[in-house]
């Protein structure tokens, strides 16, 4: 099976050639003849009424083609942006869904809210004119502090959501959980913040649109992770352009991490305005604009408790979370702190009773939606912080407490108390391997050595599990999701034997052009250089749901397997005809159809040629052509799991935290390309370290200004902030998809924050520091140490 | 950015001439501060006078007991200069930690001190080493040069031509960077020269300042132990999401002690 | 105010009419259509725009096109000897999976080549990580980028580049 280019092989990437030579084609690179350039005027206030907008002076400036405001959209009866997931609250009522106009009409609700679009012959001319637009704002107080957003008297963001409550949702039976807590020998409590993050893919969001007057067809280029979904939303809900008249192309896209899933105001405007302007329109966000307008991630305030018996067995978990939605509900926002969060609160453990209450709140900040991990990092952080804290309180080893509570390997499929049924897994060997790689045994000696240098060393665990490979459509529908989550594949052979593999998934760094080709190469025996993976264009690829939620391989790859099966099935019939054998006697191995026990053979290429030149061909029973598609709807999510161990050294004089070692052992099921998988883990770990130690989206509580509005104040992890990583790998194949794979794209970011913060707490415990909030910046750590010192002194 | 008239004079005299009568003109040295400022539309100069073509303004010379660095000398040159490393290694170390490698290829000492960003590194070196700033119209002492937030003693049409640093018997610079911008949250330059001991702090306040108590203590005993109990008041120090005034006050002590230890190595 | 500007880019003489405010990266991308050099931020920190000007690595977003008058500019498009023969640094990035989305890659490669030469082809992990201060990557976690640069240094030396 493992040919040099097949499944499991470390195949170098097809996509590298163009990226390494500067010949990639990202949206901003596209040369569009006679293009105009769009610039968006954005609100400088977190909350204000718009009394008037005067564009008269701006319209007269050089190079100006058109200027649009929210009123133009009202006059044209254009819809608003949508939230595609209806969450039912604890009383069965759908969540409050305030309107989300594409551009603000009478109220702006966050710094960065879209107020006007200027279209000009050049970017500078557009920007010059935007400065001459006179907006008369009546500035109002802003609701910024999430912890207080639902309090009585808090400034209301939308009248349609009284008290700023979008929903009050729960899972589990509170009475049962309370009863378990009442009998517990030990209860560990935690109040924690999951800090707000700004995704910051290195390519800023961009869009370009062109309208063909002759055909009435629109083309929209967008940095989208899911071009078909974007097209569906724009067509059915927002602009009303029929789907078949709107082509959405996501070319090379420079990273997404969730932030490029959603349907945004700017790309919607660029599309809508293209037919009114009569020339192509290009727009690329400036980085500071991205900071303000890309959907932010995380932003929870949580109180959590873990009940244990005297031996450390977990009896129950209860969690209360307030989740920030921002000022408007973004496309998937409502699902992230509910179905992608609370359903993971069992972790890798046999905890029998779990209750979670989540209240989603509106604030005068940018919309919050999925960001790498989307809900699962938040869940892992809660559980793994509780477990390590419990271990410390009960004076048990952190690994031992986990082991005691792992779901045993013979318990799968395992039904958790929070809806999800884990299909497979074996957790003890993972933590064993992680501890071996991390040299856990040697830690205390390293701690002592660090102490002699005046440094505090700590070690922390994070045993994560996550649910990805979105997902079974029926389940998603039951939970309120507005779309299915299947995936498509089309395997289209050409007469000369080369093949295009078209997928509804989209790669913005995930290497599908290589890994999907590997699958086809392995299954059909076609050399890699004869395979082209095509993605991102709604005109050529079958309808697909795009890439996010670590689904491309588990769902998209499975669709490719199904399509491959169809190719083989058809090929067998053709080969049987050519070999004058019965179909039942034909086998397919290493790219060739054979009749077992004979030396009759028909290479796949010959069967393909025959299908397109069907002179000697069973035309009465079989259509010509070798072009099969498949749609795959998974029967369950997939459940990658693993353990990360982080080791830090803290300088108590400055509060600086250095990550000196970080180990990750993961079970991703079968591995298609280990090099790609490792790369995903590396990147995810660093995003997790970023969350734990550096990154924080900060709004001024009084004015709602985005204080961390650029890389000058938002700390991005750099190469010198992290070490090289030590990875390990265990395999329990997924039993319900044809590849046996589990998603790997988000795991690193899901597990890492807890591993890092547990290490930080472990390092600072000797100083009496009880709690450090994320991010554990030098300032934050130093203040925590000072606080502990004063507490001791008192 | 807004458009402007661009000039690239070949001599200092031409540069000064171009600036006469143009109150909205700006001088560009390395451009590492000016160009980002212009890109953010925070300034709208009528003219930009690029000093990059004036060869006489760049270069490093040793003159007796001084290292003389031309105003347009790039940080990378200072960082790797054999002369600077020999005479005042701490200055090379400071230059080597300004910005990143690409910024160091363009940013200049003249631009840095003329701008007087509160978080810039060079002002601490100039004050701690008691350097002399030479311009086209005269000289400034270190103590007289830095006046306040983005403010220096330079007059209209006055351009820095060079900075002269005296040789140091002992010197070191310790910088605690802002985690995001990597500018100095607190940077302390400690130097013992023929003129005495000076401790200059950048990043913590609105402009570089000296810590007299530390200077007095170190003059008696140049060791970190001598200053371990000296605390800086937090009043008036900068405060932002990366560092409160109290934290910066604390870091001044930490960085000063570490600088003295490094200077003693 | 339009200014005529001329320079050598990847060995070829080029010229154009720019405004004083035109950045070098805009000249490369928009006037010359060389879109390999990318813009990732507006505070001169991300490094996606790094090119070499007269042998020095600089951020082309923080240089005016007119400042490169008469200069020799090297961009990512000028590295490979031919379609089939990549520069050893490009090759090392490929072999070590040092890129995922590819957006930071041009600037990363240009910075990497510069650091190898400045350190006379001798680098260690700590030095590489420090020298990458001006280049942000969100995808790779830097692990493979560091590996690639360490592997490329001796390869560049052998190849005499």
């Amino acid at each position: 099976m493992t040919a040099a280019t097949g499944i499991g092989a470390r195949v170098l990437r097809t996509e590298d050639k163009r990226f390494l030579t500067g010949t990639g084609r990202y949206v901003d690179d596209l040369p569009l003849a006679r293009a105009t350039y769009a610039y968006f005027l954005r609100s400088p206030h977190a909350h204000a009424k718009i009394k008037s907008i005067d564009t008269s002076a701006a319209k007269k400036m050089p190079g100006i083609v058109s200027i649009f405001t929210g009123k133009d959209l009202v006059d044209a009866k254009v819809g608003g942006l949508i939230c595609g997931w209806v969450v039912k609250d604890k009383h069965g009522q759908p969540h409050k869904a305030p309107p989300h106009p594409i551009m603000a009409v009478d109220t702006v609700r966050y710094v960065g809210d879209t107020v006007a679009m200027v279209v000009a012959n050049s970017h500078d001319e557009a920007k010059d004119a935007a400065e001459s637009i006179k907006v008369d704002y009546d500035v109002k107080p802003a609701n910024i502090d999430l912890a207080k957003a639902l309090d009585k008297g808090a400034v209301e963001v939308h009248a349609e959501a009284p008290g700023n409550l979008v929903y009050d949702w729960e899972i589990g039976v509170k009475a049962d959980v309370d009863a378990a807590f009442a009998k517990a020998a030990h209860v560990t409590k935690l109040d924690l913040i999951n800090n707000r993050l700004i995704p910051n893919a290195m390519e800023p969001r961009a869009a370009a649109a062109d309208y063909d007057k002759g055909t009435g067809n629109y083309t929209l280029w967008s940095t989208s992770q899911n071009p078909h979904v974007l097209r569906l939303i724009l067509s059915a809900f927002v602009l009303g352009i029929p789907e078949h008249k709107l082509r959405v192309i996501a070319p090379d896209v420079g990273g997404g991490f969730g932030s490029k899933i959603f349907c945004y105001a700017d790309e919607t405007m660029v599309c809508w305005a293209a037919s009114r302007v009569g020339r192509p329109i290009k727009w690329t966000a400036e980085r500071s604009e991205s900071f303000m307008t890309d959907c932010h991630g995380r932003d929870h305030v949580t109180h959590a408790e873990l009940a244990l018996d005297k031996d450390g067995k977990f009896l129950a978990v209860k969690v209360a979370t307030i989740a920030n939605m921002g000022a408007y509900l973004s496309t998937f926002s409502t699902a992230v702190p509910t179905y992608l969060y609370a359903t993971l609160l069992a972790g890798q453990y046999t905890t029998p009773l779990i209750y979670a209450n989540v209240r989603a709140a509106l604030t005068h900040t940018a919309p919050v939606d999925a960001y790498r991990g989307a809900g699962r990092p938040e869940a892992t952080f809660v559980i793994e912080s509780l477990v390590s804290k419990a271990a410390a309180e009960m004076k048990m080893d952190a690994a031992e407490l986990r082991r005691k509570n792992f779901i045993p390997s013979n318990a799968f499929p395992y039904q958790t108390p929070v809806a999800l049924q884990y299909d497979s897994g074996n957790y003890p060997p993972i933590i064993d391997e992680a501890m071996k790689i991390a040299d856990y045994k040697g830690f205390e000696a390293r701690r002592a050595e660090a102490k002699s240098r005046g440094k505090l060393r700590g070690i922390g665990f994070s045993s994560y599990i996550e649910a990805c490979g979105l997902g079974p459509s029926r389940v998603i529908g039951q939970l309120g999701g507005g779309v299915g989550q299947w995936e498509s594949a089309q395997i289209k052979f050409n007469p000369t034997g080369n093949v295009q593999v078209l997928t509804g998934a989209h790669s913005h760094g995930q290497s599908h052009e290589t890994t999907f080709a590997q699958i086809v190469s392995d299954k059909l025996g076609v050399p890699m250089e004869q395979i082209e993976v095509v993605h991102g264009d709604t005109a050529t690829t079958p309808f697909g749901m795009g890439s996010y939620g670590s689904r491309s391989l588990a769902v998209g790859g499975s669709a490719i397997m199904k399509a491959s099966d169809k190719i083989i099935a058809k090929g067998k019939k053709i080969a049987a005809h050519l070999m004058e054998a019965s179909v039942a006697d034909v086998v397919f191995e290493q790219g060739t159809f054979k009749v077992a026990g004979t030396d009759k053979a028909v290479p796949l290429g010959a069967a393909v040629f025959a299908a397109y030149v069907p002179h000697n061909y069973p035309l009465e029973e079989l259509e010509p052509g070798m072009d099969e598609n498949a749609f795959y709807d998974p029967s369950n999510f997939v459940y990658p799991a693993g353990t990360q161990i982080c080791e830090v050294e803290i300088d108590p004089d400055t509060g600086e935290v250095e990550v000196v070692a970080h180990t990750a052992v993961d079970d991703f099921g079968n591995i298609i390309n280990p090099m790609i998988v490792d790369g995903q883990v590396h990147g995810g770990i660093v995003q997790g370290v970023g969350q734990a130690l550096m990154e924080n989206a900060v709004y001024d509580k009084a004015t709602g200004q985005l204080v961390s509005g650029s890389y000058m104040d938002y700390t991005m992890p750099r190469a010198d902030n992290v070490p090289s990583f030590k990875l390990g790998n265990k395999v329990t194949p997924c039993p319900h998809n044809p590849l046996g794979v589990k998603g790997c794209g988000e795991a690193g970011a899901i597990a890492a924050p807890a591993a890092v913060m547990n290490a930080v707490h472990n390092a600072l415990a000797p100083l009496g520091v009880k709690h450090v909030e994320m991010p554990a910046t030098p300032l934050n750590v130093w203040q925590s140490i000072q606080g502990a010192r004063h507490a001791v002194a008192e | 950015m807004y458009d402007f008239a661009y000039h690239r004079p070949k001599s200092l005299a031409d540069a000064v001439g171009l600036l006469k009568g143009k109150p909205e003109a700006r001088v560009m040295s390395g451009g590492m501060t000016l160009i980002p400022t212009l890109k953010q539309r925070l300034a709208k100069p009528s003219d930009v006078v690029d000093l990059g073509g004036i060869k006489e303004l760049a270069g490093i010379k040793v003159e007796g007991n001084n290292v003389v660095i031309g105003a347009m000398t790039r940080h990378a040159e200072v960082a790797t200069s054999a002369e600077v490393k020999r005479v005042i290694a701490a200055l090379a170390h400071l230059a080597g930690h300004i910005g990143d490698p690409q910024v160091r290829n363009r940013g200049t000492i003249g631009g840095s001190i003329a701008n007087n960003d509160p978080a810039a590194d060079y002002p601490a070196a100039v004050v701690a080493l008691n350097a002399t700033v030479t311009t086209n119209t005269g000289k400034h002492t270190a103590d007289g040069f830095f006046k306040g937030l983005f403010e220096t003693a330079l007059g209209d049409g006055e351009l820095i031509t060079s900075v002269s640093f005296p040789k140091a018997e002992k010197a070191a610079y310790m910088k605690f960077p802002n985690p995001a911008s990597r500018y100095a949250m607190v940077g302390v330059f400690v130097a013992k020269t023929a003129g005495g001991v000076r401790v200059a702090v950048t990043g913590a306040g609105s402009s570089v300042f000296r810590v007299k108590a530390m200077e007095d203590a170190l003059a008696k005993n140049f060791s970190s132990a001598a200053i371990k109990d000296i605390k800086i008041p937090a009043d008036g120090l900068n405060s932002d999401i990366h560092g409160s005034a109290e934290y910066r006050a604390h870091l001044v002590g930490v960085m000063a002690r570490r600088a003295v230890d490094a200077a003693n190595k | 105010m339009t200014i005529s500007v001329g320079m050598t880019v990847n060995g070829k003489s080029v010229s154009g009419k720019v405004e004083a405010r035109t950045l070098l990266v805009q000249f490369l991308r928009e006037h010359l259509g060389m879109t390999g050099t990318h813009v990732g931020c507006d505070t001169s920190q991300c490094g996606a725009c790094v090119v070499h000007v007269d042998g020095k690595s600089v951020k082309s977003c923080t240089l005016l096109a007119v400042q490169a008058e008469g200069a020799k500019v090297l961009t990512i498009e000028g590295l490979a000897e031919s379609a089939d023969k990549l520069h050893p640094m490009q090759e090392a990035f490929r072999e070590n999976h040092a890129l995922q989305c590819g957006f930071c890659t041009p600037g990363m490669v240009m910075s990497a080549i510069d650091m190898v030469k400045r350190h006379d082809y001798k680098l260690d992990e700590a030095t590489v990580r420090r020298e990458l201060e001006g280049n942000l990557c969100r995808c790779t976690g830097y692990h493979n980028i560091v590996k690639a640069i360490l592997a490329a240094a001796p390869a560049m030396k052998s190849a005499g580049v």
Side-chain angles (χ1 to χ4, degrees), chain C residues 132-143:
Chain C
L132 286 177
E133 191 175 353
N135 291 84
L136 296 178
C137 173
R138 205 46 159 163
C139 293
T140 67
Y142 304 105
H143 179 117

Side-chain angles (χ1 to χ4, degrees), chain B residues 67 69 78-97 122 125 129 165-173 189-191 262-263 265:
Chain B
V67 175
I69 303 179
V78 176
T80 55
S81 156
E83 284 116 333
V84 176
K85 283 184 191 171
R86 186 171 41 87
V87 182
I88 318 167
L91 193 62
H93 171 89
L94 177 151
H97 285 83
Y122 267 124
L129 291 165
F165 295 90
K167 179 184 163 78
E169 189 189 315
K170 290 184 187 196
Y173 180 61
F189 202 114
V190 166
K265 277 218 183 70

Side-chain angles (χ1 to χ4, degrees), chain C residues 87-103:
Chain C
H87 185 284
M89 185 61 74
Q90 291 169 310
E91 200 53 65
F93 267 59
R94 178 160 192 259
E95 277 160 14
N96 290 280
H97 187 40
L99 61 150
Q100 293 181 21
C101 82
F103 197 77

